[in-house]
Amino acid sequence: MSTVLQRTITFACMLAICVVVLGAYTRLSNAGLGCPDWPGCYGFLTVPNEVHEITAAQLKFPSSQIEPRKAWIEMIHRYFAGSLALVVVLLFAVIIRSKAQHAPKVLASTLVLMIGVQALLGMWTVTMNLQPFVVMGHLLGGFTVLSLLTLLYLRAAPPSVEYEAQASTCLKVGVVCTGILVLQIALGGWLAANYAAPHCTGLPLCSNSELFSWSSLLELPKPSSTYEYGVLPFETRLSIHLMHRIWASVTLLALVAMAVFVHFKISQPIIRKAVNQVATLVLFQVAVGGIIVYFKFPILLTLFHNLMAALLLLALVRACFLLSRARQIWV
């Protein structure tokens, strides 16, 4: 790939990280309904601030109260997401038209398809008033887009990796660990979508963990005019949060075990360093989670927790990519 295309992919990856962080900030600031319509805000491309704009917005949305701060948080997230969509479409057009033999056309097509899905989920998040399944799907979609862009970046400038006889086995372990991590991210998204964070205090278990029940985890939000601030009962939200912590322990053990396993099977420093990064990030992520609970869920630390989840997933994607290259003999 050309240098310009590589730089564009790098820019897209950075933009995608910004979109994920801004999406988390929108959710944590309770600004998901800052604009009651989509893709604009009260029928405008910016937050209405002139007298005639505010009057028109109140007439069109009489049941909504204009909160400029929340509306701007939501719109800034949309501006960044829209910019990312344009960059991805540009990358797709360039890659599809490329005559290079190994151009990642399938990857580019999947990426542009996911952008479309994300746009739909973004719209439904608003029009369905923060329905938890939609909110969680939107979060997972953002992580998927970021992962696909990371793979595109790695394909654009593939690192030099030598053949390893045990790489296939290690890759299978890596794929399983990726599934474990994705489930943990989904549990975090479900926790956030149901506003369950403050329902479980205390460390390492909830202070009232006797209220936990496996059956309550199956309880789904009932139809409601709005899902803002959550509609599930206290016991269910506590169980959701505690399940997130339990699976965090499983994720920690799995990723650290993967790093140790790869060290025994693979000799190349670049792959060992990659799995070391995964192990370091997951240890740090669990520590940050504990600090968040201890300090009663401060928004900036929680936002950093979301960013760390994204970086951890990208580190694991990179490790699996390196293992996939090491299992083949590159001529």
Side-chain angles (χ1 to χ4, degrees):
M1 292 186 184
S2 66
T3 303
V4 174
L5 185 57
Q6 290 178 7
R7 289 177 179 174
T8 305
I9 295 171
T10 303
F11 173 72
C13 289
M14 296 173 64
L15 194 55
I17 291 175
C18 291
V19 171
V20 168
V21 172
L22 287 170
Y25 185 66
T26 301
R27 186 172 61 255
L28 293 170
S29 302
N30 299 319
L33 295 179
C35 296
D37 52 342
W38 187 95
C41 191
Y42 291 93
F44 299 93
L45 292 178
T46 62
V47 178
N49 60 348
E50 301 290 339
V51 175
H52 69 279
E53 293 176 341
I54 294 174
T55 302
Q58 290 174 338
L59 288 173
K60 193 172 183 180
F61 300 93
S63 61
S64 298
Q65 180 180 357
I66 300 176
E67 298 183 67
R69 179 179 174 274
K70 289 186 177 182
W72 272 116
I73 291 172
E74 173 65 13
M75 286 307 294
I76 289 172
H77 171 58
R78 293 183 188 180
Y79 294 150
F80 272 80
S83 300
L84 176 62
L86 291 175
V87 175
V88 167
V89 170
L90 174 63
L91 288 171
F92 170 75
V94 172
I95 292 172
I96 287 297
R97 296 183 62 181
S98 173
K99 296 180 180 179
Q101 184 178 1
H102 299 292
K105 296 183 179 181
V106 174
L107 182 57
S109 300
T110 305
L111 181 56
V112 80
L113 177 63
M114 274 305 307
I115 287 292
V117 171
Q118 271 296 85
L120 283 174
L121 289 171
M123 178 182 69
W124 291 336
T125 296
V126 176
T127 58
M128 298 179 70
N129 295 314
L130 305 180
Q131 210 285 342
F133 279 111
V134 176
V135 173
M136 182 181 69
H138 195 42
L139 179 143
L140 290 175
F143 277 78
T144 301
V145 168
L146 183 55
S147 298
L148 291 172
L149 278 169
T150 301
L151 285 174
L152 197 61
Y153 171 82
L154 292 169
R155 286 285 302 273
S160 177
V161 179
E162 297 176 0
Y163 172 74
E164 291 272 1
Q166 296 296 323
S168 292
T169 303
C170 292
L171 179 60
K172 291 176 183 177
V173 173
V175 170
V176 171
C177 287
T178 302
I180 292 172
L181 177 59
V182 169
L183 180 54
Q184 174 64 4
I185 292 171
L187 287 170
W190 187 241
L191 183 156
N194 287 285
Y195 299 84
H199 290 69
C200 179
T201 56
L203 288 169
L205 301 176
C206 306
S207 56
N208 45 2
S209 57
E210 68 277 0
L211 297 175
F212 174 85
S213 69
W214 292 102
S215 59
S216 66
L217 290 171
L218 302 176
E219 186 170 354
L220 302 178
K222 296 177 181 178
S224 175
S225 58
T226 179
Y227 298 90
E228 191 171 22
Y229 305 115
V231 297
L232 290 174
F234 182 92
E235 293 80 4
T236 302
R237 295 198 228 186
L238 178 143
S239 299
I240 290 171
H241 188 145
L242 190 53
M243 188 64 212
H244 179 61
R245 294 193 195 182
I246 293 170
W247 198 252
S249 301
V250 175
T251 305
L252 172 64
L253 292 174
L255 295 186
V256 171
M258 172 196 166
V260 173
F261 182 77
V262 170
H263 267 270
F264 275 108
K265 299 294 183 178
I266 302 295
S267 61
Q268 293 180 63
I270 186 173
I271 299 178
R272 287 187 167 194
K273 184 177 179 180
V275 295
N276 284 347
Q277 290 173 346
V278 171
T280 301
L281 284 171
V282 72
L283 286 166
F284 190 58
Q285 177 72 329
V286 170
V288 170
I291 293 170
I292 288 171
V293 175
Y294 181 82
F295 286 105
K296 309 300 182 186
F297 313 102
I299 188 170
L300 289 181
L301 265 179
T302 307
L303 186 64
F304 182 66
H305 194 53
N306 280 263
L307 174 60
M308 286 297 300
L311 295 179
L312 175 57
L313 178 60
L314 299 189
L316 186 53
V317 167
R318 179 174 178 267
C320 289
F321 178 82
L322 293 173
L323 288 169
S324 71
R325 289 185 62 81
R327 69 176 179 166
Q328 304 177 50
I329 302 177
W330 299 89
V331 180

